[in-house]
Amino acid sequence: MNLNLPNKITIFRIFMIPMFVFFMIYKIDGSISILGGREISYNIFISAIIFIFASITDFIDGYIARKYNLVTNMGKFLDPLADKLLVGSAFIVMIELGLIQSWMVVCVIAREFSVTGLRMLAIEQGEVIAAGLLGKLKTIFQIIAICLLLLGNPIFNNIGISLDIIILWISVILTILSGLEYFKNSLHVFKD
């Protein structure tokens, strides 16, 4: 097992997920408005900070791994797993809090399971399906949507623009399109 720096950062991100979920559901008295956004409770604010920090570590571990040639099989497995656990946990808890509609989360989770299954099938045939541009954009828009929703749509709430909902819709559309792209480009793995 190779626990280099990027892998340690990824594991740390995984350990931040229970803390994030805890603060999402644990009530702390008081609320705050960030840059004119909707009022959010202190616990949601803390969870947003944890989520933002965890998301930043995703970019840091990937950057370090590529720059210093520290890419490992363990990292290839753990990094996307950590991303899916973080985003999936956020979306699921946000249903409970009434911040997102359940059908959107079903689309996200169904896509992740489907693409993961497709990748496993491809690996059995000796092929690796790399992340495409739409998949990377999907992840970026999901992270931005979650941050904006958790922080009460700061700045844009004052001028009447629901940027949080717009970005959320874009992330769901990219989720569906990127899933379709993976299957369109990988139909050959289903041929016997």
Side-chain angles (χ1 to χ4, degrees):
M1 183 162 59
N2 188 358
L3 279 180
N4 60 25
L5 181 59
N7 291 344
K8 288 176 183 174
I9 294 170
T10 302
I11 291 169
F12 179 68
R13 183 162 73 256
I14 292 170
F15 281 113
M16 281 193 282
I17 296 168
M19 290 188 333
F20 164 74
V21 171
F22 173 80
F23 282 106
M24 285 285 287
I25 58 178
Y26 180 78
K27 302 292 183 216
I28 299 174
D29 290 335
S31 63
I32 187 172
S33 176
I34 309 295
L35 299 173
R38 293 181 290 272
E39 289 284 318
I40 57 171
S41 65
Y42 286 136
N43 60 293
I44 298 295
F45 176 71
I46 293 168
S47 66
I49 298 303
I50 294 169
F51 182 86
I52 291 166
F53 183 72
S55 298
I56 290 169
T57 67
D58 180 28
F59 295 104
I60 292 171
D61 64 14
Y63 173 78
I64 292 170
R66 286 185 297 276
K67 179 169 179 154
Y68 297 102
N69 197 24
L70 297 173
V71 176
T72 64
N73 287 335
M74 182 181 189
K76 289 178 189 175
F77 169 75
L78 284 179
D79 188 61
L81 176 66
D83 297 344
K84 288 168 182 38
L85 288 172
L86 181 64
V87 169
S89 297
F91 278 151
I92 289 168
V93 176
M94 290 168 81
I95 293 171
E96 184 178 335
L97 299 176
L99 296 174
I100 188 172
Q101 296 178 11
S102 59
W103 71 267
M104 293 176 158
V105 178
V106 169
C107 287
V108 169
I109 292 174
R111 182 262 187 212
E112 298 305 342
F113 277 121
S114 301
V115 170
T116 299
L118 178 66
R119 283 183 163 146
M120 290 171 62
L121 185 60
I123 286 170
E124 285 181 8
Q125 298 175 18
E127 184 179 337
V128 175
I129 299 175
L133 177 62
L134 283 179
K136 291 175 182 177
L137 285 174
K138 173 244 352 160
T139 302
I140 291 167
F141 274 87
Q142 286 174 341
I143 290 169
I144 294 169
I146 291 167
C147 292
L148 287 172
L149 286 163
L150 291 177
L151 294 174
N153 194 35
I155 301 170
F156 298 96
N157 192 55
N158 271 354
I159 55 177
I161 298 174
S162 298
L163 187 63
D164 51 353
I165 303 302
I166 293 167
I167 299 294
L168 176 63
W169 270 95
I170 293 170
S171 77
V172 172
I173 292 166
L174 287 171
T175 296
I176 295 166
L177 291 177
S178 68
L180 292 173
E181 180 185 53
Y182 275 108
F183 278 88
K184 179 180 157 265
N185 293 338
S186 304
L187 284 174
H188 60 278
V189 302
F190 294 105
K191 294 178 181 169
D192 292 328

